[in-house]
Amino acid sequence: MKLIDVEDLWFKYAGSDQWVLRNICLEVEEGEFVLIAGKSGCGKSTLLKCFNGLIPHFYEGEFKGKVEVCGLDTREYPPYILSQYAGMVFQNPDNQLFALSVEADIAFALENIALPREEIRERVDWAIKVLGIEDLRERSPVELSSGQKQKVAIASILAMKPKVMLLDEPTSSLDPVSAKQLVELIAELNRRHGLTIVITEHRIDMLLPYISRIVVIEDGEIALDGDPRQVLEKYDLRVHGVAIPKLVRVSNTLRKIIKNPLPTPLSVDEFVNILRSLKG
Amino acid sequence: MIVFRNVSYVYPSGVKALDNVNLEVKEGEVVALMGENGAGKTTLIKHLNGLLKPTSGNVVVDGIDTRNSTVASLSKIVGIVFQNAEEMFFSPTVWEEIAFALKNFGYSEEVVNKRVEWALKLMELEEYRDKSPFLLSGGEKKRLALAIVLAWSPKVIALDEPTVGQDIIQKEKMIQIIRQINLQGKTVIISSHDVEFISDLRPRIVLMSRGRVVDDGPAEEILTKLELLNECRLIPPQIVSLTSKLDFLGFKIELAEPEEIALRIGRKLLS
């Protein structure tokens, strides 16, 4: 099932004469885990904002083309409706949390869409359980660590039961261990709960073991789009401002040295296994 | 250049953010403070220009005990680029944003002009000089925040998490800039938990955890201590993870360039 359907999308912000998005055509199917990569300012965050209606409803500008989320034309439905289909987690969890307790924060959006009390309780319990944050339930979000806050932000989106979760550089304020845990959690939501994920992130080495697709944006246009292993094998991501993981650099150089068509490794363990079998 | 002697700092809330920190940084060094969120990295940096004064112990910067000085005069020696510096922009144009501090320090118009131009060029922001700082992208804002501080040429430059939200091109550029200002004799202090960035920069690393300095040494040494890194909620660089699992090819755990590692793996496999 097609969850996101972008047809020839162009966008520029009000007051700017530059198109931030140009000629974007993109389809995201249910169950995909899509990484949108590209250098800062390439338009990847802007694209994400088109998927939950923040663009064109909240950010003003010139919008051409069409974006459909779960069959709804984003120009015709307001963000509070669209966010029930595509929920967004932002870079800085502080911008997303404000209530007195974690529980109240997760319930807030559900109360706003006027769900019955019982259903709200069920969904809050469920989201708290999925994220494994039972111990944070009564805590005030302000006193949590950045990693915990980001989990609460994800729980509050998850409780809306969206079809797609959009994440805009969700790990950038986290320390490496928290970042890794968060990425594993997102991968788990995708794998076990079938949630479709569209994420922007600079640290692609962390995501490579889990994603099903990479879309590279350059100057507002889609430059590359495909299976991560194939994209890494065929193209030089650095040209597009995306870091090639050190592991892939090792494997690329090794391939030339030993003249063996090594598969491109997506994780350290995978590479170690490849090397073990080569050594025999 | 910088001496921390038995420095503890307790926030008014009662949280002890620095716990008996002893640290010496020589002029011209590049030092990275690494550790988990809340380890005390930013609190330590705020002691460099007197924004915070130690609850006990002394901080001496360029011979001046920070207790006996003001933020205004210490800032001339230590320029800090905070992680959220871009949230503090307020000028109508990029040019004026950089000029503001210089004018405040009382430099003549000619000097202000020269310094602003130099900083714009160094940070590749010339084309944005008349643009509103708020219309810049995240990476451009970071460069502007650094340009503002570089413009008044402090002896010590402190960068609080300079690579957050930055792409690889900007990170490489950041490494170049750090090396360049270091060559000019500047002392550079960086707080970061971006292990790949730090493993490319290869500075001296001061590892912090819960307000304490838990280790101090060259990057090649600190970044290969797997257990210690884990305790500090850091993930080893990918190359270190890899070499730690290549004992069957005769590797010891180490930090090296990917291409060099490939060459050595190749030799082993072909022999």
Side-chain angles (χ1 to χ4, degrees):
Chain A
M1 195 179 118
K2 223 189 290 173
L3 293 187
I4 295 174
D5 189 0
V6 182
E7 275 173 51
D8 198 17
L9 170 66
W10 294 67
F11 182 75
K12 67 178 164 195
Y13 288 100
S16 165
D17 50 10
Q18 233 177 355
W19 292 103
V20 185
L21 296 176
R22 297 184 290 150
N23 191 28
I24 301 273
C25 295
L26 183 74
E27 288 179 9
V28 178
E29 294 283 331
E30 187 160 19
E32 281 194 272
F33 189 161
V34 185
L35 167 65
I36 302 187
K39 56 179 135 185
S40 298
C42 73
K44 56 187 188 301
S45 284
T46 302
L47 182 59
L48 221 52
K49 291 188 187 100
C50 294
F51 296 161
N52 71 342
L54 278 180
I55 291 175
H57 297 289
F58 187 76
Y59 292 91
E60 286 179 14
E62 193 175 339
F63 183 101
K64 291 198 296 187
K66 189 163 143 188
V67 178
E68 278 186 5
V69 175
C70 300
L72 307 179
D73 186 326
T74 59
R75 282 168 304 183
E76 287 161 23
Y77 292 85
Y80 81 89
I81 300 265
L82 293 168
S83 64
Q84 295 172 48
Y85 297 90
M88 172 96 92
V89 176
F90 295 92
Q91 223 176 81
N92 185 348
D94 289 330
N95 298 343
Q96 213 153 350
L97 308 174
F98 55 90
L100 289 172
S101 74
V102 162
E103 199 175 29
D105 239 318
I106 300 173
F108 179 79
L110 305 177
E111 287 160 1
N112 267 358
I113 54 171
L115 286 182
R117 221 182 148 74
E118 208 35 51
E119 166 116 34
I120 292 179
R121 184 158 306 160
E122 269 170 35
R123 286 203 195 184
V124 170
D125 288 346
W126 173 74
I128 283 179
K129 190 161 169 255
V130 171
L131 274 285
I133 50 172
E134 289 90 348
D135 52 326
L136 305 182
R137 192 177 190 116
E138 313 286 334
R139 300 268 301 274
S140 159
V142 284
E143 59 185 41
L144 304 180
S145 73
S146 312
Q148 290 169 329
K149 281 181 193 169
Q150 201 57 294
K151 283 188 193 170
V152 175
I154 290 180
S156 67
I157 297 300
L158 196 64
M160 295 286 281
K161 299 212 167 167
K163 290 279 184 191
V164 189
M165 188 173 280
L166 311 168
L167 302 109
D168 191 10
E169 295 186 34
T171 70
S172 62
S173 62
L174 310 187
D175 59 51
V177 170
S178 311
K180 185 163 178 267
Q181 287 168 347
L182 197 81
V183 165
E184 284 164 0
L185 195 92
I186 294 164
E188 189 77 2
L189 291 176
N190 173 254
R191 204 173 43 222
R192 274 195 42 197
H193 299 270
L195 188 64
T196 307
I197 307 282
V198 183
I199 185 169
T200 68
E201 182 63 63
H202 286 301
R203 295 189 244 180
I204 81 160
D205 51 347
M206 223 168 39
L207 281 159
L208 270 182
Y210 311 110
I211 57 175
S212 60
R213 178 175 172 193
I214 180 168
V215 176
V216 177
I217 310 275
E218 191 170 4
D219 293 333
E221 284 185 283
I222 293 179
L224 306 170
D225 181 356
D227 171 74
R229 214 184 291 271
Q230 284 170 7
V231 167
L232 280 165
E233 261 158 38
K234 274 197 222 147
Y235 305 99
D236 182 359
L237 288 188
R238 216 194 148 281
V239 172
H240 305 285
V242 179
I244 302 171
K246 301 250 165 79
L247 189 67
V248 174
R249 281 169 56 189
V250 174
S251 140
N252 285 347
T253 308
L254 185 62
R255 192 178 294 135
K256 285 179 216 148
I257 295 171
I258 64 171
K259 302 191 173 60
N260 179 321
L262 290 174
T264 296
L266 303 181
S267 71
V268 169
D269 287 340
E270 189 186 359
F271 191 48
V272 171
N273 286 337
I274 294 170
L275 293 178
R276 271 187 201 281
S277 66
L278 280 175
K279 188 169 177 271
Chain B
M1 176 58 73
I2 296 161
V3 182
F4 278 64
R5 209 172 287 130
N6 306 324
V7 173
S8 292
Y9 182 79
V10 183
Y11 277 100
S13 64
V15 174
K16 195 171 200 178
L18 293 180
D19 187 1
N20 197 32
V21 169
N22 284 289
L23 180 67
E24 274 185 41
V25 178
K26 294 195 185 69
E27 183 161 12
E29 269 196 290
V30 180
V31 178
L33 308 171
M34 300 195 80
E36 79 270 12
N37 286 339
K41 307 185 298 280
T42 303
T43 305
L44 193 151
I45 282 181
K46 284 181 177 167
H47 277 77
L48 295 174
N49 70 349
L51 273 175
L52 296 176
K53 308 267 166 100
T55 309
S56 63
N58 303 80
V59 177
V60 179
V61 175
D62 202 19
I64 303 165
D65 188 321
T66 60
R67 271 180 214 272
N68 307 326
S69 191
T70 61
V71 176
S73 61
L74 286 167
S75 295
K76 276 196 167 179
I77 307 168
V78 183
I80 303 182
V81 183
F82 285 106
Q83 199 185 328
N84 56 350
E86 46 268 40
E87 289 166 21
M88 298 169 204
F89 294 156
F90 56 91
S91 303
T93 68
V94 166
W95 199 95
E96 284 167 86
E97 195 67 62
I98 301 175
F100 179 79
L102 295 171
K103 286 179 184 163
N104 261 357
F105 281 132
Y107 290 111
S108 70
E109 203 183 312
E110 199 196 327
V111 174
V112 171
N113 282 337
K114 234 167 81 184
R115 293 246 178 128
V116 174
E117 291 305 322
W118 174 79
L120 280 173
K121 191 158 176 238
L122 186 64
M123 292 289 102
E124 292 176 12
L125 289 167
E126 290 149 297
E127 56 178 308
Y128 305 122
R129 65 175 66 235
D130 299 321
K131 207 171 165 180
S132 160
F134 302 102
L135 291 177
L136 300 180
S137 75
E140 291 156 0
K141 282 179 182 168
K142 270 249 129 69
R143 261 144 62 206
L144 173 57
L146 189 50
I148 292 166
V149 169
L150 286 175
W152 79 76
S153 200
K155 284 186 184 173
V156 180
I157 304 215
L159 307 165
D160 193 15
E161 295 287 356
T163 63
V164 168
Q166 300 282 84
D167 64 39
I168 188 64
I169 312 281
Q170 292 161 342
K171 286 185 190 184
E172 285 170 2
K173 172 91 188 143
M174 185 66 71
I175 288 177
Q176 275 176 26
I177 291 163
I178 291 169
R179 295 210 169 119
Q180 189 178 342
I181 59 179
N182 183 237
L183 273 177
Q184 295 169 1
K186 310 268 185 229
T187 306
V188 184
I189 314 252
I190 305 151
S191 89
S192 180
H193 39 54
D194 186 338
V195 280
E196 296 298 345
F197 170 71
I198 294 298
S199 75
D200 286 338
L201 183 64
R202 305 272 181 105
R204 166 184 163 196
I205 294 178
V206 172
L207 196 58
M208 298 185 71
S209 179
R210 292 182 200 128
R212 290 174 160 267
V213 173
V214 293
D215 208 349
D216 185 344
E220 293 81 350
E221 180 195 318
I222 304 287
L223 292 178
T224 49
K225 295 183 176 174
L226 298 186
E227 273 178 35
L228 190 62
L229 290 178
N230 191 42
E231 280 165 32
C232 297
R233 298 186 72 76
L234 295 174
I235 288 180
Q238 220 172 22
I239 290 295
V240 172
S241 298
L242 177 63
T243 56
S244 76
K245 292 176 180 173
L246 293 184
D247 42 338
F248 65 96
L249 288 175
F251 274 80
K252 285 200 186 96
I253 181 164
E254 64 172 308
L255 184 62
E257 288 300 308
E259 289 68 23
E260 191 202 322
I261 296 291
L263 206 65
R264 279 158 45 200
I265 296 175
R267 270 195 216 120
K268 285 278 179 192
L269 291 175
L270 293 174
S271 70

